[in-house]
Structures are given as structure tokens and as C-alpha cells.
């Protein structure tokens, strides 16, 4: 049986649309769905519970995604297992496509859906940023930034061994080598972007901070620790900082990537300028948190959670 674990912290405004999409298949033998409400002070549990017996709701007092995922594992019933953020939308057919890919391909341990980012209603600089971001090779190939990752039982053992990290999806993606992970384009997930420049920068500051934490984690590991520590894992998620990426897996895009993109698409000069400006602002905004090793303050973008 396929199990779906959904960690949710104050997601009452948006979790309903995700659950409705997952429950669109009226089959009573659909996936096992566990919603872990962690430290919620809103009506997330009520909204999830109103979807009926096919959704099991677990409430814990601690506002921690990492803890919620592990508690979800304790209640989930089977594999393949999907971990789904409460603010994205993925449907029952997409879940079946991911589970089918894991079942059919030997050696495949983790999969994620293709990413749809609806930019209508977003400020022009936000649209410009995402036009560039979505074209970066690491962004196209990585499992992060999608809000959904599906794993086999063996793949689950790999990611369950990871420590608590802000960049949990990045760490999970890089826990697998290129032959062990796959983006299944036949499955789709809708990831809503921030609508304003200020909200984009908040999200990027969080990303820069979490990337720094991830790189510190990587620096403590020996290459023998697994794919996430070795060069085969490749680059991470396409956030530029004006420098070429280091040899170890990193959450930064090098200037060489942006130059290659401009050579291929010279009309993107204005968009690349916006992308670089956002990256610079994020790096500056993250300096204090990185200096103080504050890797727990979650700068949440509310503009993408408008129901």
C-alpha cells in the first residue's frame, strides 16, 4: 500500500486543496494518508479531519517538520512512501505515476513529480526570477523544490538517517546518486510561488540560510558516507551567489551556469539580472542568521498561501 505523509504547521488555508486532489480517486483502496499537525494553532486538524476516514490526523505539540515526518513514519502503513508539503497540490493519478515508476525501475530509490509554477498574479521581478530558476540544470534534475518526494523502503532508510535540516528536500535529493533518483514528468505538482518581491526575498533568505547549514553538514561527512557526500551527487538547487560552485554538493549555482544560460538564451539578460539581484539580496539577508548559526527561524512566505 502506498502511504502519504503530510507534515502541516498552520496550513488550514491550503491543506484542503491538496487533500481534495489526493482524494479525487473515489476508490476505497486509495493511498494511506497521514496528516501530522505539528504545533498548529489554527484549524489545520479540523480541515484535514473533515475529509473523512481516508485521512488520518495525528497532532503533536512540537512545531517541527523533521519531528512530524518521523511521527508520520510511525503511523504510515506501507511503501512506496510519499512525503508531501501541505501547501502544494498533487493528485491521485500523480501519486500512482510516482509509485509505478519506483515499482518498475530496478535500482530507483526516489522519485519526484514535474513541477508547475503558476506565475499569473506575481510581480514581474518574481516572474523573471522563476523564468531563470526553472531553466537551471540542477533545478530541472533535482528532487528538491517540488514539495513531493516518493521513496522505496530502501530509499526511506537513506533519508531517515539524515539529521534535522532546514533544507530537508535538498538533503533528501542529494542522498541519492543520479541513477537512484528520477524526476517523473508524467506526474505533476503545482508549487505556488511568492507573489511579491519582498516575499520572494524572504523565501530566498531562508534558502540561503538553509544552504549554508547543509554545506556545513556536508563538510562534516566523509566521502564514504554515501552519495550525498560524493561528487556523483552533482550540484544542488540553482541559487546563485556570484561564485562558481564548490566541488562538494552545494545549494549554489555558479556564475558559469548563468553564463551558459545566457549563451543559449541571450534574450534572458534582464531576467538573469533580476535573478542575480535576488541572490545578492538573499545572501546579504542571511548573513546574520548564518553568523549566529540560527538554522531554526523559518521565514515563511504567506503570499503563496492564499487558498
Amino acid at each position: 500500500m502506498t502511504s502519504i505523509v503530510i507534515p502541516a504547521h498552520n496550513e488550514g488555508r491550503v491543506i484542503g486543496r491538496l487533500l481534495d486532489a489526493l482524494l479525487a480517486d473515489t476508490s476505497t483502496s486509495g493511498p494511506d494518508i497521514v496528516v501530522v499537525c505539528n504545533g498548529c494553532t489554527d484549524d489545520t486538524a479540523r480541515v484535514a479531519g473533515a475529509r473523512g476516514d481516508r485521512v488520518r490526523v495525528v497532532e503533536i505539540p512540537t512545531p517541527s517538520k523533521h519531528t512530524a515526518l518521523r511521527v508520520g513514519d510511525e503511523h504510515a502503513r506501507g511503501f512506496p512512501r510519499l512525503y508531501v508539503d501541505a501547501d502544494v497540490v498533487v493528485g491521485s493519478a500523480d501519486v500512482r505515476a510516482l509509485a509505478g515508476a519506483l515499482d518498475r525501475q530496478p535500482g530507483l530509490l526516489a522519485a519526484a513529480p514535474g513541477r508547475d509554477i503558476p506565475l499569473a498574479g506575481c510581480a514581474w521581478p518574481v516572474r523573471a526570477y522563476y523564468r531563470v530558476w526553472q531553466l537551471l540544470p540542477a533545478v530541472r534534475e533535482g528532487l528538491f523544490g517540488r514539495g513531493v518526494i516518493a521513496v522505496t523502503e530502501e530509499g526511506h532508510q537513506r533519508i531517515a538517517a539524515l539529521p534535522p535540516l532546514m533544507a530537508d528536500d535538498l538533503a533528501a535529493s542529494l542522498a541519492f546518486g543520479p541513477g537512484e533518483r528520477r524526476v517523473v514528468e508524467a506526474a505533476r505538482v503545482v508549487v505556488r510561488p511568492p507573489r511579491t518581491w519582498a516575499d520572494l526575498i524572504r523565501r530566498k533568505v531562508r534558502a540561503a540560510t538553509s544552504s549554508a547549514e547543509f554545506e556545513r553538514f556536508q563538510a562534516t561527512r566523509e566521502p564514504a558516507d554515501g552519495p550525498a557526500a560524493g561528487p556523483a551527487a552533482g550540484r544542488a538547487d540553482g541559487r546563485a551567489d556570484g561564485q562558481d560552485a564548490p566541488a562538494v554538493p552545494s545549494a549554489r549555482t555558479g556564475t558559469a551556469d548563468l553564463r551558459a544560460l545566457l549563451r543559449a538564451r541571450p534574450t534572458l539578460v534582464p531576467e538573469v539580472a533580476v535573478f542575480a539581484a535576488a541572490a545578492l539580496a538573499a545572501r546579504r539577508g542571511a548573513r546574520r542568521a548564518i553568523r549566529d548559526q540560527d538554522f531554526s527561524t523559518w521565514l515563511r512566505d504567506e503570499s503563496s498561501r492564499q487558498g
Side-chain angles (χ1 to χ4, degrees), residues 147-164:
V148 180
I149 183 169
V151 294
T152 63
E153 189 166 5
E154 182 181 351
H156 166 260
Q157 293 172 1
R158 185 92 50 91
I159 63 173
L162 293 169

Side-chain angles (χ1 to χ4, degrees), residues 172-188:
S173 179
L174 292 179
F176 303 99
E180 297 175 322
R181 65 176 186 251
R182 177 185 160 198
V183 175
V184 180
E185 293 292 345
R188 309 301 301 177

